[in-house]
Amino acid sequence: MSTPASAAGADLSYTRTGKFVEVAAGATATDSVSCPSGYTAVDGGFQVDADSVGESTDVVVTSSNRGNAAGKWTTSVSNGSGDRITGRVRVTCLGNKTAGGQSLTFGTGQATVPFGTTATDWFATAAAACPGSATIPVGSGWTLDGDAYLLSSTVSGSTWTHYFEGAGAGSVTSTVYCVATSATSSAGEVTLSTVPSTTAGAETTVRDGSAADATASCPEGSLAVTGTFAELTSGVYYLGSESAYKDVRQRFYNDSGASAKVSTDAVCLASSAEAAPEPSISLDGGLTMRTAGSKTYLVGDVTCANVSPQCRTVTGKVFEQKNNGSRGARVATGKTKYAGAGTDLRMRVLDGPGVSSPSGMFIVVLKANGITVVTKDVTVAAAP
């Protein structure tokens, strides 16, 4: 298990893990690897070990996806060679919540297309689009019904496209795994986006009869969640990939008869966080003294801002302010139902010394929804 990493800004949690798998000659093996609790699997696959690449032309990954388990990646590998092969089943995981407690929204899109329906149509292009508000592709998978080889794996906007060449009639289901562009909580809002890699357009040469790893890298402040590659030269085979926080390493084997180049890239996920504005209850201006019958009130306009849940009742107390700025005797108290910005708060002057004249300074204490705001140097004006 890898130690979780965090992205700059919103502290996205990210980890990856994998395990060794052996597939006997002529056999098919299905195996899974799981994310830790609180994480969602966004990408994964099977990567052929370097000492097994010579048999990779007869190896087909028939299924590589999350399935119905959000925290687990499952692959099925068919070994048509005469020798056993070894490799790693791996998974890339994204935390369900940010460090600020915002919950990420995930989504899955699928597309199924046939191949080999005619004697000349052996190719299949399956384009899966992200659903709803989860519009950022962060990984992909597929399931084959029949034998086929993956020729390219690319992303454009919110759509992931797999291009296969079939070896007979069948179909392929392409899956894209996505995350929403924003998440909010009382702590504020997190915005997610993809940013260009630092190696876009780079090519790696794979010599004939050899395997090579092509590495694509992400800039600081982002995470390499998965990789892509352009259409391969005939005879070049994709052998899987592995994400490593800032890099994605994809492995290829060349059996074309000549050196060939592969073009790869990384999907880099970045985030930024904006803290929620501080909640406040404000006294809009000073207080006014008003009389109703035998009762005297101090009246002021109050406004709640960024208070959750919505302000319902505001209470207020008025105290004399001493020369040193400290609180003196309480002179008025009251409460009101909040009706929006500028709501009148009437605080009845208490029996006793009270406010004999509107001169001097006062301290006003306002409370609502567990929030207390103290305002000093408040003046009291006589009623107009």
Side-chain angles (χ1 to χ4, degrees), residues 66-85:
R66 194 170 69 199
N68 294 325
K72 182 168 68 175
W73 197 274
T74 302
T75 63
S76 293
V77 182
S78 177
N79 180 12
S81 75
D83 297 301
R84 75 178 183 96
I85 64 165

Side-chain angles (χ1 to χ4, degrees), residues 54 94 106 149 153 167 184 230 234 298 381:
L94 198 59
F106 296 94
Y149 295 90
S153 178
T184 59
S234 179
L298 299 182

Side-chain angles (χ1 to χ4, degrees), residues 291-318:
T291 301
S294 62
K295 298 176 182 178
T296 303
Y297 297 90
L298 299 182
V299 182
D301 295 337
V302 294
T303 297
C304 287
N306 309 312
V307 176
S308 179
Q310 181 181 1
C311 263
R312 296 189 181 277
T313 301
V314 179
T315 63
K317 295 178 182 179
V318 181

